[in-house]
Amino acid sequence: MAFWRRREASSSVEARLRRRVEDYVDRHSVKAALAGAALADTSQALDAMLLQRRRGAALPVGVLADVIVVHRLRATELASAEDTHAYVALAVWMHAANGGDVAPQLRPEVDNAIARGAETDEPTATLRALQGHASAVRAHWLKTQDPALADTVVAVFVRLLDHTPTEEPAYAMRLLDLAGVTASRSRFMPSVADSDLDDAIGAAERALRHPRIASPAIRRAHQLLGPLLVTRLERDGARSDFTRAVESFNALVDLASDEQEREQCQRDLISLKQLYAQWGQ
């Protein structure tokens, strides 16, 4: 990682991140950089960077370089497409926020990304960097359910939602991303399962109410909502959840991409109605 430079860390999070990178530079050990906790550290470091930018300070390029190193190592060692996308998007953000300057070792990848259409205005470059980082965190969480990422996997999508303009169609998709990771955490973290289930349903329903939601997002919202509402129906027994679940499964029948998917949705709908009838007895 020739673009990386040794420096003093200014916070405990930066210090932990720095030690992970130094383990690789000094000892050629990637273990610390590949741990789920390393992604949690990169997320907290990004939060601090964003706060500094909002206050008008220069982008802390050294800290961003540490974040890029972690994602680049993960891309290389784990063959992670999500981390590849993340570190290139973060490097484009470095370019956009730093007057076009970027570490020479990253220049070919940045230039290639720009040639393929990567935006270089800072707000858009920031959003793309956060999106790439969030996707990498989610990919690791889905593979490992690492408890070290339980809070981070939701926080990165909350942050991504906060940076997405509410009037854009993408806002609905970001709500569904948040609903998806929150629902996933509810299945693996019993201590927050009830609140996460409610929050996931709420986010998906907010997405459906978005005035510019696109057809693929409508389908995805119902794919999330149907099973989630059934889970809450099993928990609470509320008829309103049954009614809304039926609405989602009916919508999926209409939105099915092919006959096989339509038949599966119809079977799911029949099973739901039979199950609810049994509860009524």
Side-chain angles (χ1 to χ4, degrees):
M1 300 294 171
F3 64 87
W4 179 86
R5 294 291 181 271
R6 199 175 301 278
R7 58 177 180 77
E8 292 297 321
S10 60
S11 73
S12 58
V13 171
E14 288 181 23
R16 288 198 306 270
L17 188 58
R18 165 83 356 182
R19 287 194 296 271
R20 295 180 190 282
V21 176
E22 286 177 344
D23 273 353
Y24 169 73
V25 173
D26 295 339
R27 305 175 185 84
H28 302 290
S29 171
V30 299
K31 183 178 179 180
L34 300 184
L39 288 175
D41 287 345
T42 61
S43 179
Q44 292 180 46
L46 285 172
D47 278 338
M49 280 186 268
L50 291 166
L51 178 61
Q52 290 179 54
R53 289 301 280 163
R54 285 196 297 271
R55 291 173 173 172
L59 183 72
V61 175
V63 182
L64 182 54
D66 287 347
V67 175
I68 291 172
V69 168
V70 169
H71 281 293
R72 202 175 189 191
L73 282 172
R74 292 177 55 82
T76 302
E77 298 294 327
L78 303 177
S80 167
E82 292 85 1
D83 283 285
T84 298
H85 176 72
Y87 89 74
V88 173
L90 288 160
V92 172
W93 179 29
M94 180 186 285
H95 165 97
N98 201 34
D101 289 337
V102 70
Q105 293 77 13
L106 295 172
R107 173 57 62 189
E109 290 162 303
V110 169
D111 288 346
N112 188 40
I114 294 171
R116 296 196 313 269
E119 299 96 333
T120 56
D121 63 285
E122 187 176 353
T124 306
T126 302
L127 180 61
R128 299 292 177 257
L130 298 180
Q131 186 175 350
H133 173 73
S135 295
V137 171
R138 176 174 58 190
H140 187 85
W141 164 258
L142 292 176
K143 288 177 184 175
T144 65
Q145 289 80 54
D146 186 344
L149 282 183
D151 292 331
T152 302
V153 72
V154 173
V156 294
F157 283 98
V158 171
R159 180 174 60 204
L160 183 57
L161 185 68
D162 289 343
H163 281 79
T164 303
T166 56
E167 68 277 5
E168 291 189 3
Y171 192 81
M173 193 60 79
R174 298 291 80 80
L175 279 167
L176 295 176
D177 287 337
L178 177 58
V181 296
T182 306
S184 173
R185 188 174 70 171
S186 75
R187 292 190 289 271
F188 296 103
M189 303 291 292
S191 62
V192 294
D194 286 350
S195 60
D196 274 354
L197 179 61
D198 294 339
D199 289 346
I201 290 171
E205 290 181 329
R206 281 179 62 198
L208 278 175
R209 293 193 298 269
H210 194 278
R212 298 185 64 191
I213 187 171
S215 294
I218 293 174
R219 181 166 171 261
R220 184 182 174 200
H222 286 299
Q223 287 173 329
L224 281 167
L225 267 177
L228 289 174
L229 287 165
V230 171
T231 300
R232 192 164 71 180
L233 176 63
E234 293 171 341
R235 185 190 78 188
D236 299 340
R239 182 171 180 81
S240 59
D241 283 338
F242 169 73
T243 302
R244 289 150 71 196
V246 169
E247 290 173 355
S248 280
F249 283 115
N250 274 325
L252 288 172
V253 170
D254 295 335
L255 295 168
S257 59
D258 55 41
E259 191 59 31
Q260 182 178 357
E261 182 180 334
R262 183 172 294 106
E263 290 175 356
Q264 180 60 57
C265 292
Q266 289 170 333
R267 288 193 293 270
D268 291 340
L269 184 56
I270 292 169
S271 297
L272 172 61
K273 290 179 178 179
Q274 290 174 339
L275 180 63
Y276 192 72
Q278 290 171 5
W279 288 341
Q281 296 172 3

